Amino acid sequence: MEAVHIQPCVLDAQCEALRTEVRAFIARELADVPASERAKNWTAVNPAFSRKLGERGWIGMTWPRRFGGSERSSLERYVVMEELLAAGAPVAAHWVADRQSGPLLMRYAPQLAERIVPGIVRGETYFCIGMSEPDSGSDLASIRTRGERTARGWVIHGTKLWTSFAQHCHYMIALVRTERAASGRQAGLSQFLIDLRAPGVQVRPIRNLMGDEDFNIVVLDGVELADECLIGEAGDGWSQVTAELSFERSGPERYLSNTQMVLEMLDAADAGNERQAVALGRIVADYAALRQMSLGVAGMLSRREDAALTAALVKDQGALVEQRIPELAHALFDGRRVAADSDFARVQAYATQASVSYSLRGGTREILRGIIARGLGLR
Ligand SMILES: Cc1cc2nc3c(=O)[nH]c(=O)nc-3n(C[C@H](O)[C@H](O)[C@H](O)COP(=O)(O)OP(=O)(O)OC[C@H]3O[C@@H](n4cnc5c(N)ncnc54)[C@H](O)[C@@H]3O)c2cc1C
């Protein structure tokens, strides 16, 4: 069996100074946001807030200046992200673009990036992820959306499903089959930039368990694309998507989604109650371990190392902790001092319902464990 090596990171004085600045900004900007909204964490959309982050240089922080970025370190970026998540800031509008679409464009489609990435940095241009389809989620290589060459570029036919926040986004990066390759199902896939306002695109929100409309069905009915909308080389989509998933799976959002629930429990805890202290202490210890793992992956990604195994580990372990938090709230506090109309009860209701999706979105538990097992040499 192989070992997993995660290099610990130490946040320096510059990072801690930035943390103070971010906390002051959040205290000012989000003072009136109720606990029930903070519970939504990185799934709340607020373009005005995204633009304010952009004005401060807190989107695309590590990116080159020629794309509008600030060339700050990945650790400084991490500090901004964890402070936003800990406060339950409404960051969903720009989150995907900042986390994965911007880096993908700069790496594989620099000409498109020159035009589009500065808008991401300003907090004005939003992206969604077009991977899953009806009948294709875990088995992503089975997608049926197809791209055919035309005299002027490409035409796309197909349907994407569970596309988070597409109704608020300007662009999708879609994984599309462009060839039936003899060398296996993972060959012949390509990624395209799709303008969601283009003719032939229909975005229809789907209501989730909490009554919110976060994800969507996106129909691509003969969407015509110019040649430049192909990201990277035709047929290289699988390796590009695999690299993108490491960004998607490893960030602090994979263990800090339920922070508001932890804060509510800390507020409600009784002084001297050992059972509560031990249970809450364990969550804090888990946060500390996950933070080091997640920071370690941030370092690997900034060095362009293959982080697929460690990113899967962060997401799998993060989801376990995240899902334990609302269960703990029930076990420690139910039927005792929690009023039905309290912040605690509202946050608990949201966290209980939302948490079931944490081991689905971004890759299911079984799929992640398959990746981990393969990385460890066990299969
Ligand atoms: C809140 C939320 C937001 C999402 N946002 C997006 C988005 O923005 N963009 C996007 O493209 N997708 C998005 N998704 C979709 C998500 O990526 C898929 O739901 C996920 O990959 C699982 O695919 P599926 O739903 O088709 O389930 P399936 O793949 O059908 O899996 C069903 C069950 O079977 C298990 N299973 C499947 N294959 C295997 C196997 N080989 N071995 C063992 N067990 C297996 C799975 O683990 C799971 O438990 C989102 C999902 C959620 C819940």
Side-chain angles (χ1 to χ4, degrees):
M1 180 172 142
E2 304 287 326
V4 181
H5 296 285
I6 301 176
Q7 270 184 310
C9 283
V10 179
L11 298 172
D12 59 18
Q14 200 169 328
C15 287
E16 295 311 329
L18 176 61
R19 185 187 305 286
T20 309
E21 198 186 325
V22 179
R23 281 189 183 169
F25 168 81
I26 288 171
R28 216 172 38 246
E29 293 295 332
L30 301 182
D32 299 332
V33 178
S36 55
E37 280 302 305
R38 289 175 190 258
K40 295 184 178 171
N41 208 286
W42 58 288
T43 65
V45 175
N46 182 337
F49 185 74
S50 291
R51 283 196 293 272
K52 282 186 184 165
L53 291 177
E55 279 163 21
R56 302 192 80 87
W58 291 344
I59 301 175
M61 282 179 75
T62 62
W63 302 350
R65 287 196 194 282
R66 76 182 172 105
F67 293 114
S70 327
E71 299 189 1
R72 297 184 79 160
S73 72
S74 58
L75 296 186
E76 286 177 296
R77 173 170 184 264
Y78 200 92
V79 165
V80 173
M81 286 197 298
E82 68 178 355
E83 288 302 323
L84 290 169
L85 293 165
V91 292
H94 69 272
W95 196 259
V96 164
D98 183 41
R99 178 179 70 189
Q100 62 197 83
S101 318
L104 184 88
L105 289 177
M106 288 184 290
R107 184 163 176 187
Y108 296 109
Q111 280 175 337
L112 287 175
E114 301 263 358
R115 203 171 71 229
I116 294 171
V117 168
I120 298 179
V121 174
R122 289 194 301 272
E124 292 170 358
T125 305
Y126 313 137
F127 274 70
C128 58
I129 304 166
M131 295 189 196
S132 307
E133 297 185 2
D135 306 321
S136 298
S138 303
D139 185 14
L140 198 53
S142 69
I143 56 163
R144 288 184 299 209
T145 296
R146 61 183 201 283
E148 289 160 7
R149 273 206 186 274
T150 64
R152 281 176 302 176
W154 298 84
V155 62
I156 311 291
H157 293 275
T159 302
K160 293 291 172 182
L161 191 59
W162 314 126
T163 320
S164 295
F165 310 115
Q167 73 272 48
H168 306 288
C169 290
H170 305 92
Y171 297 102
M172 168 193 277
I173 292 187
L175 185 69
V176 168
R177 179 156 295 287
T178 45
E179 201 191 334
R180 290 249 156 251
S183 54
R185 294 186 317 142
Q186 293 169 359
L189 296 170
S190 306
Q191 281 186 304
F192 287 93
L193 176 80
I194 297 184
D195 184 334
L196 293 173
R197 293 152 297 189
V201 178
Q202 266 182 53
V203 179
R204 292 201 297 268
I206 303 169
R207 187 153 298 180
N208 66 21
L209 190 65
M210 290 84 72
D212 295 330
E213 292 183 344
D214 288 348
F215 43 36
N216 297 266
I217 183 163
V218 181
V219 178
L220 306 168
D221 184 11
V223 180
E224 292 189 28
L225 301 178
D227 241 340
E228 63 159 11
C229 295
L230 172 67
I231 299 170
E233 299 294 322
D236 281 355
W238 187 259
S239 62
Q240 291 173 201
V241 144
T242 310
E244 205 185 324
L245 283 169
S246 294
F247 284 98
E248 188 177 342
R249 289 175 174 160
S250 61
E253 69 269 36
R254 296 305 176 188
Y255 63 93
L256 289 177
S257 307
N258 267 341
T259 319
Q260 192 61 36
M261 187 74 262
V262 176
L263 295 175
E264 296 296 333
M265 284 196 278
L266 289 171
D267 277 350
D270 307 298
N273 183 322
E274 198 180 324
R275 180 167 167 250
Q276 292 172 353
V278 168
L280 292 170
R282 284 204 177 117
I283 295 290
V284 175
D286 286 333
Y287 273 180
L290 282 162
R291 183 178 190 231
Q292 276 306 330
M293 289 164 67
S294 167
L295 271 166
V297 181
M300 290 172 82
L301 291 172
S302 68
R303 296 189 296 275
R304 291 208 174 167
E305 293 170 16
D306 179 0
L309 161 64
T310 19
L313 207 52
V314 171
K315 179 164 187 286
D316 181 47
Q317 291 301 302
L320 283 175
V321 173
E322 296 259 62
Q323 291 180 334
R324 212 169 70 231
I325 290 168
E327 285 172 15
L328 203 58
H330 287 286
L332 294 179
F333 298 96
D334 258 17
R336 296 207 306 116
R337 41 183 292 180
V338 179
D341 62 349
S342 62
D343 280 343
F344 188 111
R346 278 190 278 265
V347 172
Q348 184 179 22
Y350 184 86
T352 302
Q353 294 179 87
S355 296
V356 293
S357 72
Y358 297 173
S359 50
L360 289 171
R361 62 182 188 186
T364 70
R365 177 161 290 147
E366 291 73 20
I367 295 304
L368 295 172
R369 290 184 180 177
I371 294 168
I372 295 165
R374 189 175 301 117
L376 294 176
L378 297 173
R379 67 187 273 247

